[in-house]
Amino acid sequence: MPAQLQHEWDLYHATWFTLMGIGGGVFLVARLLRIERGLGVWLGLPVVDLVSFVAIGIGGLVLVWSLGRPLRMLRAVLKPGTSWISRGAIADFIFLVTGGLLILPSLELAGVKPFAALPWDAWASTGAGKAIEVVGLLASAIVIVYAGLVLADKAAITFWRSWLIPAQFVLSSLTMSIATVMVMATLNGTPVGLLECLLLGKVSLLLLLAIAWHLATERAKPGKAESLARLSTRYRWLYFGGVVGAGTLLPALLGFIAAAAPSERAALGIAALPLTVAGGFFLRLVTLRVGYFPPVSGMLRLRKR
Amino acid sequence: MATGTKKVPTYCYQCVAGPDLLNVVVEDGVATKVEPNFGVTEHPAGGRPCVRAYSLVQKLYNPNRVKAPMKRTNPRKGKDQDPGWVEITWDEALDLLAGKLRGIREAGFVDEHGYPKLAVTFGAGGTAPAYLGGFPAFMSAWGGPLDQGIGSGQGMKCVHSEHLYGEYWHRAFTVAPDMPNNTYVLSFGNNGDVSGGVIGIWRHAEARGRGATWIQFEPHMSVTAATAAEWVPIRPKTDAAVLYAIMHVTLREHDWRTVCDVPFLSRMTNAPYLVGPNGYYMRDPVSRTPLVWDEKAGAAVPFDVGHGGATTQDPQTPTEADGFALDGEYTVSGIEVGPDEEIITHASVTARPSLQLLRDFLAPYTPEWAQQISDVSADTIRRVTREFLAHARVGATIDVEGTTLPLRPVAILLGKSINNGWGGYECCWARTVMAALVGALEVPGGILGTTIRLNRPSSNRMESVRPGPDGFMAQPLNATSKEKWQARPTSRSAHKTLVPLVSDGSWSGALSPAQLPWLFMDDAPAKWPEPTPPEVWIVGRSNPAISNWDTNLIIEKLRKFPFVAAFAYTQDETNWFADLVLPDSTDLESFQLFRVGATKYVESYWDHQGVALRQPVVETLPFDTKDLTDVGTELARRLGLLERYNEALNRGVALGVPLRTPHYDRGLDPAKAYTSAEIWDRACQAATLSLSNGAEEHDLAWFREHGTYTVPFSRLNWYLHPEMTKKGLRYELPYQERLKRIGGELKNRLHEQDIRWWDTQLEEYQALPPWKDFPKIWEDVAERFGKKPEDYGLWLLTSRSMQYSWGSQASLPLMADVARHVRGHFGVMMNNTYAKSLGIADGDDVWVESPIGKQRGEAMLRAGCRPDVVVAIGQFGHWATPVASDKESVNLNMLEPIDLSLIDATGSGSDLIRVKVYKA
Amino acid sequence: MRWGMVVDMRKCVGCQTCTVACHEENALPPNVFWRHVVDVEVGEYPDVRRTFMPMGCQHCAEPPCVPVCPTGASQQRKDGIVFVQYDMCIGCGYCAIACPYRARHMVQDHTWYFGEATPSEKQAREPERHGVMTKCTFCKHRVDKAPAGATPGVDPEYTPVCVSSCIANAMHFGDLDDPNSNVSKLRQEHEPGVLLEELGLKPSLFYITE
């Protein structure tokens, strides 16, 4: 059987991966850089966390919608011992619970905080809050890495069987998230920090490196060869022009320029957001769409009489 | 409503290699699936039906079926004319048809041109009889001539050369290898792993498993070429050259006395018969017995001297024949008898044994000569000949049920387009001569005939072997003498007039130049009664509109048929031109008892013989269809033919077994109209009584439960050899003296009528047929249509699809899904390198153009295809059949003309045409 | 006990009888085939080989499709049969991605050959199989019915239908762990290979090529 494209996972899954990447990533980036306050507060809650929940919530719904049996979705947590989808589902769940718990005490409705009695706040300023935040951070780290591991760990698709796939997805999640927090800061009237800009530049370059490394190695491997051929033909413009050029190289430049030009950071951040998000989405979508099952040979030998 | 699950036994006969026995699983009154019938342990292929049988459930419930009788309201007929069907009742429908038939009976059976006004066409290859129920009894009761010469494609697709010559030479309407005993097959285009039926395929596979060798000569790598030990890509229509070279190597490069079966040649062929200067046997002037040269006596003697006809095949027991000369030349006195009893007397002339003539004849046909014609290397030709001769094991014997028979485990097989059309005679002759040279004819391991259709009784090959003139079998030839020749055609295919070999049985009309009705309708040669459209044409289980060549010509004629009654499964391209469509109850819906086992077509020869029942598998049929037995009864009743109809059934017409014999009487009361179940109930009883010689009797109820009844069938009956030796007969090989004479007589008859357009065909009647440039015949077709031959540089061939063969699956989407797994379906295959040179990539649309038209299809690039060949699998080109008409694909039938230049003496042609291919 | 098959590619003629028999036995929807035969061609004219390769689930001893399943629906029995517990499956598709033999099929909705279901399609439909992953089950519904004394692979009633329908007698089913079984004897005699051996999945289908 010649190599054959997979058709199992497509738009829904690319959307799910992207939204998980943004959802987990913004939580991670905002809290690790300690900039969550500057990104806005609404009803007492960190807006970045709300963005995170919405992204993950929609991503989760998209995932559930893609299932053959959506109403059974809760079963997906049953096999963390062997299945990255299970682990990811658990991580999603833990993240939503811990993230939700973390911000709950800070909720303010009509001047009242109904959950203020809880011994922490949304900013993790107490020990208990810090502990919950750590759990949440760990969960969000898994949230942004598991999609790539799903593909890399056991898929039969040669092109996906590389640690460089989860690496690309993580790095892409980070670039999307950094750009998101840059824009959120701008919308909240907070100046965009130097660190965010440098991170945008460096992480984008790392992403570029991961993509290049993946494309340059094991080029002749059965299944991967076909994927590379399809990238170079059918997806030539979208991948190299879109994902690599516009989605990775350009945000890297914007990041470094923004680092050197504080007055331009707001505008550059706003420019970087659609580039990184579109780039991230198409990175995932094209990766799925060039996924070839390797050929299965008939073990024929040419016979000479 | 029925509840629970049951398994209903029935058979599939959608192709001629059957019946395949199967069970239909019925759950709560609904048929759900087909399963093998493992209960029939006698079945040589483990009771397993082939891929097509599994579509029978979908066939049953197909919502695109014709659901009730319909009549046409649009009087205009044409490809673009919607018939305007209106549903009517069965009573109305049968009244309408009966009325038309009554008109014929009252006005006269034959029209002003001498052709029967009623023409009947049922599907190819004898598949239809397994589904017609009692209807043939109606045809028998008709009481006047009816024409079966408007074929369903017979003249173009059917392997007439093999049928007619095979049955003539060794009662082999179809020729099969004795695969259970065979070790070496040379196949020229025989696609047995697609067409061989479940038994053929099972046996071929088993043979491969035990190391037997099959070498496939074929222009493209068919399925059979794929499973073969070796594929030899031969140029189309050059097979005779290779076969002649093989004979050359055998008789001229090897010591023929060592490698050939000399006792067989001496005793059982015309190899020792002396041939005179005019090419006829030297005969005793008084007895007219052919002469041979007795080496011991040093004189010419009648061939039957001494032994009085009895021969023996035991090489240890000498007979007079062993002393007959097989080579040399001798001075002989006697007579030759030419056409029309022309006696040529010779005082002393040089005469040679026919084997000597054969050896001389083969001198120019060297492997080097064959190589430059066929692209098959001389080395290959010599090698396969050497292997063939080694595997032939001349002198070996085997015990078959206590009788010692020769064992010759070699066979040469021919496929369609090799065993029909120009070159078909030469290939069939060469193949059979090669078998005779090593004694591998009708013996274990060699080539066997499995059925007869022209000789009687059709149920028993052995009984049809009767002594005839010159030590050969008697043959039911159509007369060519001045007194008895049928000058005026009795059928539109003129079988009795033009084809002596085809006799005059119920199958003869279709086994003849079935192209002529179409070709000559509106355009007959001078002095030839123009084939008229029949007043009534009944067609069923057949789609002649697209299963003949030159579809546009066919449908142009069909428009003029005044009344067409079609037994219809779905709308199709032929019943598109009908006036009345009658949905018959098909495979899983009606009753019939049909013969199984013994020896039958293709490779269906068993160690048992018997009958199997086909029955309605569900209590309530899905649509308003009718059992054809009931249709026959109803038409007979309406036309006042009930008595004759019942008597025909009593004689065994349609039933396969007489209802009345001296040993039992299960006969029908001639005056009564019986239901299908009642008729087949009696047939079941009669069949079991007959098969068991009175020991057992089973009725329809028993058969509905058990499905099959068999009794042992001696394997000795697989082989004609015991019968031939018992009756002291010889095979009329290698020298075709009688055919030469018959051809001369036919020529005289036709020329007396000033008919010369059959002269090329008359040239086929040669005792030793020289090679002709067969490919050139097709290359020249372009010129006949005003085009340049060099513009059509490729051969378009076709090849069989197991999933679609015999046509019943065309409207079933299940089979389309399944067939797509076999490369080549729904496209046109071509050599990958050649395609790339034209800028054609795999999957590109291409035009395939012949001198008469062009077709568009998807290119499928293959390495296993000659660069000068393109292949369109199967036979499509539908525009009206549901599902099939959704797919556009290249169809050879649209591209090949019906032309006299492409018709051979037996009235057959070959499925190939010269084309050009270019990117669309 | 470990069920397996030996496929004799010398005998297979690519007729797809096994393809359609499986399709019918398991009431599969249009264009879904758990078993199918691949038409393979290698070489360049005139040195060409063509063969036919029955494909489907290989019931690997190390099946990648089982650990990836997030719900545990994709399972392997002690006798080696890999199957899907339909009522546990959520239809995520991960197992299909994990199978290099492309042996898994998911059908979201009811589809019929003619738009509307025919009586046989209605009768045979299995609603539990929509929206979940499906695959060859080695006809465990037949194998498991074998009474004492009956042998799956020998007695056709208790044998996978692909094997028992094969008109070339090219497929054999039996216990790989029993040295006297039909499949074991064929393995000893012919030393057949497996597909994608380099992946280390230890398939239970063995292919005789010469």
Side-chain angles (χ1 to χ4, degrees):
Chain A
M1 300 199 287
Q4 185 186 325
L5 281 171
Q6 68 83 20
H7 295 291
E8 232 25 82
W9 287 353
D10 195 64
L11 214 51
Y12 284 131
H13 297 76
T15 308
W16 159 34
F17 293 168
T18 307
L19 287 171
M20 289 322 198
I22 294 174
V26 295
F27 183 86
L28 200 63
V29 166
R31 290 198 173 251
L32 284 179
L33 297 182
R34 285 283 160 237
I35 56 172
E36 62 268 33
R37 281 186 205 270
L39 302 180
V41 178
W42 183 65
L43 297 180
L45 305 173
V47 174
V48 68
D49 290 355
L50 293 175
V51 167
S52 174
F53 295 153
V54 167
I56 287 182
I58 295 176
L61 281 174
V62 167
L63 161 64
V64 167
W65 191 254
S66 77
L67 295 175
R69 292 283 181 141
L71 296 178
R72 294 181 186 166
M73 61 176 177
L74 291 177
R75 291 176 187 269
V77 302
L78 289 175
K79 296 291 247 175
T82 57
S83 169
W84 269 109
I85 285 186
S86 242
R87 293 166 187 160
I90 291 170
D92 292 340
F93 188 65
I94 290 175
F95 173 74
L96 287 172
V97 167
T98 55
L101 272 177
L102 182 63
I103 64 175
L104 206 52
S106 300
L107 175 65
E108 188 175 327
L109 296 165
V112 176
K113 288 192 182 180
F115 301 100
L118 293 166
W120 65 83
D121 59 30
W123 315 106
S125 47
T126 67
K130 277 195 177 23
I132 295 173
E133 187 187 56
V134 162
V135 174
L137 285 169
L138 284 171
S140 68
I142 295 174
V143 165
I144 67 170
V145 79
Y146 88 88
L149 287 170
V150 162
L151 300 188
D153 181 37
K154 289 246 175 10
I157 312 295
T158 324
F159 187 68
W160 301 348
R161 293 296 292 270
S162 164
W163 66 271
L164 289 163
I165 292 291
Q168 286 173 43
F169 284 16
V170 166
L171 293 167
S172 161
S173 300
L174 291 173
T175 62
M176 291 191 291
S177 305
I178 293 166
T180 304
V181 302
M182 285 168 73
V183 169
M184 289 181 70
T186 301
L187 289 174
N188 200 42
T190 307
V192 176
L194 174 65
L195 190 53
E196 291 94 281
C197 301
L198 284 174
L199 275 175
L200 179 64
K202 289 179 183 177
V203 174
S204 296
L205 282 182
L206 279 174
L207 175 58
L208 197 59
L209 184 63
I211 290 173
W213 192 348
H214 185 226
L215 296 182
T217 50
E218 293 186 318
R219 290 182 63 79
K221 219 166 168 192
K224 185 164 181 180
E226 289 84 351
S227 298
L228 293 173
R230 194 163 173 80
L231 273 180
S232 314
T233 50
R234 174 89 173 75
Y235 289 103
R236 191 167 62 235
W237 291 112
L238 186 59
Y239 193 78
F240 294 102
V243 172
V244 174
T248 312
L249 194 54
L250 206 47
L253 283 173
L254 294 179
F256 289 127
I257 295 170
S263 56
E264 307 304 324
R265 285 177 191 169
L268 292 169
I270 288 169
L273 180 60
L275 291 172
T276 52
V277 172
F281 172 73
F282 284 116
L283 169 70
R284 289 154 176 82
L285 183 65
V286 174
T287 299
L288 290 176
R289 285 196 173 169
V290 300
Y292 271 94
F293 289 101
V296 182
S297 99
M299 299 184 297
L300 285 182
R301 286 174 290 283
L302 290 176
R303 228 193 252 132
K304 290 268 187 230
R305 291 195 90 231
Chain B
M1 202 196 57
T3 55
T5 299
K6 60 176 181 166
K7 297 193 184 192
V8 181
T10 185
Y11 65 72
C12 172
Y13 204 70
Q14 295 181 106
C15 90
V16 79
D20 284 0
L21 302 167
L22 54 102
N23 285 331
V24 177
V25 176
V26 181
E27 298 170 26
D28 298 334
V30 177
T32 53
K33 57 187 174 183
V34 164
E35 285 187 351
N37 185 342
F38 298 113
V40 187
T41 52
E42 313 90 285
H43 191 262
R48 305 173 185 196
C50 88
V51 57
R52 282 197 307 289
Y54 290 87
S55 69
L56 286 174
V57 171
Q58 184 169 90
K59 190 174 177 184
L60 173 66
Y61 292 116
N62 183 357
N64 291 321
R65 289 177 70 171
V66 175
K67 299 183 176 68
M70 300 192 294
K71 74 174 182 198
R72 183 185 200 90
T73 56
N74 177 2
R76 285 188 301 278
K77 293 185 179 181
K79 193 172 170 183
D80 55 349
Q81 292 289 336
D82 187 303
W85 298 119
V86 150
E87 274 190 16
I88 56 178
T89 65
W90 270 100
D91 270 332
E92 286 175 75
L94 291 172
D95 283 343
L96 177 58
L97 177 56
K100 294 288 181 185
L101 294 172
R102 191 175 300 113
I104 292 175
R105 295 186 62 77
E106 285 166 1
F109 289 101
V110 162
D111 66 20
E112 66 279 8
H113 286 226
Y115 294 115
K117 291 179 185 169
L118 172 62
V120 172
T121 295
F122 287 110
T127 51
Y131 293 100
L132 290 178
F135 196 82
F138 171 74
M139 288 159 61
S140 173
W142 174 244
L146 62 82
D147 193 343
Q148 294 190 78
I150 297 179
S152 32
Q154 276 86 345
M156 295 153 234
K157 314 306 180 150
C158 200
V159 298
H160 289 183
S161 307
E162 178 162 304
H163 289 333
L164 269 55
Y165 293 117
E167 197 159 324
Y168 181 74
W169 286 322
H170 60 117
R171 292 296 178 267
F173 188 77
T174 58
V175 175
D178 179 20
M179 217 62 215
N181 293 302
N182 182 281
T183 63
Y184 195 84
V185 168
L186 293 177
S187 165
F188 290 81
N190 180 300
N191 200 1
D193 279 342
V194 172
S195 62
V198 296
I199 299 174
I201 285 160
W202 182 282
R203 286 176 171 162
H204 300 171
E206 191 276 328
R208 284 197 291 286
R210 58 175 157 78
T213 302
W214 180 300
I215 300 187
Q216 184 80 355
F217 294 81
E218 190 161 18
H220 88 288
M221 193 173 227
S222 64
V223 168
T224 307
T227 60
E230 183 179 350
W231 170 51
V232 182
I234 189 172
R235 191 167 160 237
K237 273 301 176 184
T238 62
D239 312 81
V242 175
L243 285 164
Y244 281 24
I246 289 173
M247 287 198 289
H248 171 105
V249 171
T250 301
L251 287 174
R252 297 185 66 90
E253 293 186 9
H254 288 271
D255 176 9
W256 62 271
R257 285 196 180 276
T258 309
V259 298
C260 292
D261 190 341
V262 172
F264 179 85
L265 288 169
S266 306
R267 303 174 188 188
M268 294 195 71
T269 74
N270 63 19
Y273 286 24
L274 293 168
V275 178
N278 296 289
Y280 301 99
Y281 298 139
M282 288 298 296
R283 297 172 180 271
D284 179 277
V286 174
S287 64
R288 293 204 179 182
T289 308
L291 299 172
V292 297
W293 188 265
D294 186 331
E295 282 173 322
K296 219 164 149 187
V301 299
F303 77 90
D304 59 357
V305 66
H307 62 280
T311 64
T312 173
Q313 260 301 288
D314 174 11
Q316 311 304 323
T317 307
T319 73
E320 288 80 0
D322 296 330
F324 297 165
L326 294 174
D327 61 353
E329 54 182 48
Y330 306 94
T331 304
V332 176
S333 301
I335 59 170
E336 288 180 271
V337 179
D340 294 326
E341 293 289 299
E342 182 196 358
I343 310 289
I344 311 155
T345 307
H346 302 290
S348 284
V349 284
T350 304
R352 298 187 191 94
S354 76
L355 190 70
Q356 177 66 55
L357 280 179
L358 177 63
R359 292 180 59 227
D360 296 340
F361 163 84
L362 290 169
Y365 301 128
T366 64
E368 285 71 19
W369 163 83
Q371 175 177 322
Q372 49 97 16
I373 288 172
S374 65
D375 271 358
V376 178
S377 75
D379 282 346
T380 299
I381 293 172
R382 289 193 168 94
R383 168 172 53 82
V384 302
T385 308
R386 204 166 49 239
E387 290 172 355
F388 181 91
L389 295 172
H391 275 269
R393 299 183 59 191
V394 172
T397 59
I398 185 172
D399 182 285
V400 178
E401 296 177 11
T403 301
T404 303
L405 294 178
L407 172 67
R408 302 285 184 274
V410 290
I412 298 177
L413 304 180
L414 309 176
K416 226 154 71 79
S417 306
I418 294 92
N419 58 8
N420 60 1
W422 290 117
Y425 171 53
E426 286 76 1
C427 288
C428 290
W429 173 75
R431 176 269 294 276
T432 318
V433 168
M434 263 313 292
L437 289 178
V438 296
L441 184 58
E442 295 291 336
V443 295
I447 56 167
L448 314 177
T450 49
T451 197
I452 50 176
R453 285 292 103 190
L454 306 172
N455 286 273
R456 305 255 165 83
S458 59
S459 56
N460 193 326
R461 269 177 89 214
M462 304 303 149
E463 269 182 50
S464 76
V465 174
R466 288 183 275 270
D470 300 341
F472 309 125
M473 289 186 280
Q475 308 283 4
L477 305 176
N478 289 325
T480 48
S481 66
K482 206 161 182 166
E483 303 76 39
K484 294 188 179 156
W485 178 65
Q486 183 65 45
R488 194 171 180 79
T490 55
S491 71
R492 289 166 177 81
S493 62
H495 66 279
K496 241 181 134 167
T497 304
L498 295 176
V499 189
L501 278 178
V502 83
S503 77
D504 190 26
S506 59
W507 280 51
S508 302
L511 278 169
S512 309
Q515 305 89 327
L516 299 187
W518 309 106
L519 202 54
F520 289 169
M521 205 178 286
D522 306 323
D523 192 16
K527 297 199 182 175
W528 188 260
E530 185 176 285
T532 45
E535 203 168 295
V536 174
W537 186 41
I538 297 178
V539 59
R541 230 178 156 102
S542 177
N543 199 354
I546 59 162
S547 61
N548 287 291
W549 297 327
D550 200 348
T551 308
N552 289 332
L553 176 85
I554 305 294
I555 60 180
E556 183 53 39
K557 308 301 175 198
L558 281 181
R559 287 177 53 227
K560 300 172 194 172
F561 281 35
F563 189 83
V564 178
F567 291 111
Y569 171 60
T570 64
Q571 177 75 77
D572 64 38
E573 290 62 35
T574 301
N575 63 37
W576 189 250
F577 294 85
D579 299 88
L580 182 65
V581 290
L582 303 158
D584 54 309
S585 296
T586 62
D587 310 56
L588 301 184
E589 298 176 305
S590 49
F591 286 109
Q592 183 147 2
L593 196 68
F594 203 75
R595 285 197 170 262
V596 294
T599 65
K600 268 183 85 281
Y601 306 108
V602 196
E603 293 186 49
S604 188
Y605 41 102
W606 298 29
D607 290 319
H608 294 82
Q609 63 173 337
V611 285
L613 181 74
R614 193 168 55 73
Q615 59 174 310
V617 302
V618 291
E619 279 171 28
T620 313
L621 299 186
F623 306 112
D624 186 13
T625 58
K626 216 169 187 48
D627 188 316
L628 275 174
T629 304
D630 292 326
V631 172
T633 305
E634 278 302 303
L635 282 176
R637 191 180 60 74
R638 279 167 165 81
L639 290 167
L641 296 173
L642 191 61
E643 196 171 310
R644 293 173 63 153
Y645 172 76
N646 282 335
E647 287 297 2
L649 290 170
N650 285 339
R651 285 196 310 273
V653 176
L655 304 183
V657 62
L659 298 182
R660 278 205 189 106
T661 70
H663 307 290
Y664 58 80
D665 183 353
R666 298 291 178 273
L668 306 167
D669 175 355
K672 195 172 155 212
Y674 291 84
T675 64
S676 174
E678 287 168 336
I679 291 170
W680 290 105
D681 183 34
R682 289 164 190 251
C684 289
Q685 295 165 40
T688 44
L689 282 168
S690 171
L691 285 164
S692 69
N693 287 323
E696 284 186 85
E697 180 176 1
H698 298 298
D699 63 5
L700 182 65
W702 185 93
F703 270 93
R704 292 202 77 173
E705 197 189 323
H706 295 90
T708 314
Y709 177 81
T710 63
V711 295
F713 181 76
S714 169
R715 221 178 243 218
L716 289 170
N717 290 322
W718 290 8
Y719 313 105
L720 214 66
H721 184 87
E723 204 64 25
M724 292 290 282
T725 49
K726 190 168 79 186
K727 290 171 179 161
L729 294 172
R730 292 170 178 264
Y731 294 103
E732 206 162 336
L733 293 157
Y735 197 79
Q736 304 307 308
E737 195 253 14
R738 177 154 43 165
L739 289 183
K740 177 184 163 72
R741 184 171 37 256
I742 285 167
E745 291 186 354
L746 184 59
K747 183 173 175 178
N748 291 344
R749 303 292 82 79
L750 291 170
H751 284 186
E752 283 155 13
Q753 306 282 324
D754 217 12
I755 293 167
R756 290 175 196 278
W757 46 263
W758 198 247
D759 278 3
T760 312
Q761 284 73 17
L762 291 169
E763 288 168 24
E764 187 166 300
Y765 293 88
Q766 295 170 312
L768 296 173
W771 159 263
K772 293 100 185 157
D773 190 350
F774 298 114
K776 190 169 187 308
I777 296 171
W778 277 270
E779 286 158 20
D780 287 347
V781 167
E783 270 174 359
R784 300 173 70 78
F785 291 89
K787 308 272 170 72
K788 287 192 264 166
E790 55 269 25
D791 286 346
Y792 301 91
L794 301 175
W795 293 94
L796 172 63
L797 310 179
T798 184
S799 187
R800 182 160 288 184
S801 153
M802 194 198 296
Q803 296 73 32
Y804 276 106
S805 59
W806 303 90
S808 292
Q809 273 61 39
S811 65
L812 302 178
L814 169 63
M815 210 43 56
D817 285 351
V818 169
R820 267 187 217 102
H821 292 93
V822 182
R823 200 83 178 106
H825 279 90
F826 314 126
V828 56
M829 294 191 280
M830 56 192 304
N831 176 273
N832 49 7
T833 308
Y834 176 71
K836 281 176 193 146
S837 75
L838 297 180
I840 297 170
D842 194 62
D844 281 350
D845 267 10
V846 294
W847 284 108
V848 179
E849 185 175 330
S850 80
I852 68 162
K854 66 181 187 181
Q855 293 257 288
R856 187 179 172 129
E858 179 192 328
M860 296 184 169
L861 272 48
R862 305 290 282 159
C865 186
R866 282 180 58 97
D868 58 354
V869 157
V870 292
V871 183
I873 285 189
Q875 198 167 249
F876 294 99
H878 300 75
W879 68 81
T881 302
V883 178
S885 51
D886 296 340
K887 288 178 283 297
E888 192 186 3
S889 53
V890 173
N891 176 31
L892 180 142
N893 291 342
M894 292 276 191
L895 301 175
E896 181 154 6
I898 302 177
D899 194 88
L900 258 183
S901 69
L902 297 176
I903 304 173
D904 68 19
T906 60
S908 67
S910 303
D911 265 334
L912 70 174
I913 188 69
R914 302 281 292 179
V915 296
K916 58 180 158 184
V917 176
Y918 47 93
K919 198 165 170 179
Chain C
M1 141 132 9
R2 190 175 142 221
W3 296 118
M5 281 176 60
V6 173
V7 177
D8 193 341
M9 282 166 67
R10 302 170 306 166
K11 294 192 171 183
C12 179
V13 296
C15 65
Q16 315 292 334
T17 299
C18 57
T19 302
V20 76
C22 167
H23 189 277
E24 195 140 293
E25 170 72 16
N26 295 293
L28 298 182
N31 229 2
V32 172
F33 294 100
W34 289 354
R35 159 87 52 232
H36 61 105
V37 184
V38 181
D39 189 343
V40 183
E41 185 186 67
V42 295
E44 282 305 323
Y45 179 83
D47 296 314
V48 185
R49 286 288 307 280
R50 180 182 180 194
T51 193
F52 305 100
M53 201 164 72
M55 281 297 296
C57 176
Q58 308 280 305
H59 295 274
C60 307
E62 309 280 345
C65 55
V66 169
V68 299
C69 175
T71 70
S74 182
Q75 302 176 28
Q76 182 165 43
R77 302 181 351 170
K78 283 205 181 63
D79 60 8
I81 293 183
V82 178
F83 71 102
V84 177
Q85 186 64 39
Y86 300 128
D87 58 7
M88 289 172 68
C89 177
I90 60 173
C92 71
Y94 197 4
C95 54
I97 299 285
C99 176
Y101 305 103
R102 313 168 210 173
R104 291 191 169 240
H105 311 270
M106 185 153 73
V107 177
Q108 290 283 18
D109 301 308
H110 292 283
T111 50
W112 314 112
Y113 272 106
F114 299 101
E116 278 182 28
T118 62
S120 54
E121 286 173 311
K122 258 195 225 124
Q123 181 71 27
R125 66 182 267 251
E126 299 199 27
E128 61 169 2
R129 288 215 314 243
H130 289 97
V132 299
M133 200 55 79
T134 69
K135 57 179 283 300
C136 163
T137 60
F138 262 177
C139 280
K140 60 183 175 61
H141 63 286
R142 291 167 68 94
V143 170
D144 291 346
K145 276 205 194 106
T151 308
V154 174
D155 297 297
E157 197 78 27
Y158 312 111
T159 300
V161 290
C162 54
V163 171
S164 59
S165 67
C166 178
I167 62 175
N169 203 22
M171 308 225 284
H172 307 273
F173 178 85
D175 182 359
L176 296 171
D177 287 343
D178 174 4
N180 295 314
S181 69
N182 53 352
V183 291
S184 293
K185 288 192 180 141
L186 284 166
R187 286 183 68 195
Q188 285 151 27
E189 189 186 339
H190 297 284
E191 292 180 353
V194 298
L195 299 175
L196 296 176
E197 188 171 9
E198 64 275 16
L199 297 182
L201 304 177
K202 304 197 183 110
S204 303
L205 262 69
F206 297 87
Y207 290 81
I208 299 172
T209 53
E210 300 289 351

